[in-house]
Amino acid sequence: MKKTEVLENQNKTESEELLTSVLGLTIKKRRIELGYSMERVSQISNVSRGMLGLIESGKTTPSIGILWKLSKALRTTIAEMVPDLFLRNPKVIKKEEARVLKLHKGNLEARALHKDENEKLELYEIKVAPGSYPLPSWFENQFEQNVVVLDGNLELNFRDKNYFLESGDSAIFLASDLLQIKNSADSVAKIFWVNSLQHDKK
């Protein structure tokens, strides 16, 4: 193995350990802010007390499924827990270098912000032009989604209900339940989208 490959693997391991540690501290801090005991969080989230202890102590990294349960129990969003991880380990992606996916003749544009090493979590900035847009069939293969509206208004159409989101609002849902995204305004809406893949489901 080349020296550069050894260094890259070492940096990757150190980075993963740091992210695990910071995530554990973030969850513990939020739990204490709410005045919850570990037992209380365990009951609300259906995550075992032992697993929660391992996560908070930085000994294990939670799957996206467990992270989703904890975000609901701690009355926060995955998006609010994740950013602190990347601030501790800066990574710069130039605008011209980012992967951009365009759907519906460019009216729905997704710019990739981050994709973790294990391909379990993807972060996107999405611009939605005025109009209604059904989701592509491959989207149903994704799993849990966390959406935060950064600018503008947006309507999410699900199988049994529609939700209208304004700037600053967020939503957590299963990809298979979302039928289409609708922007009724005259201007482009911008959202922050956290996507996890189906194979991460336990």
Side-chain angles (χ1 to χ4, degrees), residues 5-133:
E5 293 178 342
V6 172
L7 291 175
E8 286 177 358
N9 290 334
Q10 181 178 349
N11 290 336
K12 178 180 176 181
T13 300
E14 292 175 353
S15 175
E16 290 174 348
E17 290 177 351
L18 178 59
L19 296 182
T20 299
S21 175
V22 173
L23 181 55
L25 290 174
T26 301
I27 291 174
K28 182 177 181 179
K29 180 181 177 182
R30 177 58 179 167
R31 175 177 63 78
I32 293 174
E33 286 177 352
L34 293 174
Y36 286 173
S37 65
M38 293 182 72
E39 287 75 14
R40 175 61 174 160
V41 174
S42 177
Q43 290 175 348
I44 299 173
S45 65
N46 287 322
V47 174
S48 72
R49 168 67 170 74
M51 174 59 72
L52 183 57
L54 291 174
I55 293 171
E56 287 195 358
S57 62
K59 295 179 180 178
T60 188
T61 305
S63 68
I64 192 65
I66 290 178
L67 191 58
W68 184 48
K69 290 180 180 179
L70 290 176
S71 72
K72 292 176 66 178
L74 296 173
R75 295 185 296 183
T76 186
T77 64
I78 293 178
E80 289 174 326
M81 291 195 289
V82 170
D84 285 341
L85 303 181
F86 304 110
L87 291 175
R88 301 296 183 90
N89 187 35
K91 179 179 180 180
V92 176
I93 301 177
K94 294 293 185 178
K95 183 177 181 180
E96 59 273 12
E97 298 174 350
R99 179 170 59 92
V100 177
L101 176 65
K102 294 185 178 182
L103 300 171
H104 303 293
K105 299 181 179 180
N107 288 319
L108 198 64
E109 181 179 299
R111 179 166 68 97
L113 301 178
H114 176 79
K115 187 171 185 178
D116 78 357
E117 296 297 331
N118 296 318
E119 298 187 350
K120 294 180 180 178
L121 189 69
E122 297 176 328
L123 310 182
Y124 290 94
E125 175 194 67
I126 297 181
K127 295 179 180 179
V128 184
S132 298
Y133 308 101

Side-chain angles (χ1 to χ4, degrees), residues 150-161:
L150 301 177
D151 188 31
N153 301 319
L154 205 64
E155 184 179 322
L156 301 180
N157 302 139
F158 294 93
R159 299 181 187 280
D160 57 352
K161 195 171 182 179

Side-chain angles (χ1 to χ4, degrees), residues 124-144:
Y124 290 94
E125 175 194 67
I126 297 181
K127 295 179 180 179
V128 184
S132 298
Y133 308 101
L135 276 297
S137 58
W138 55 260
F139 184 76
E140 295 181 2
N141 294 324
Q142 313 304 304
F143 191 44
E144 297 151 345

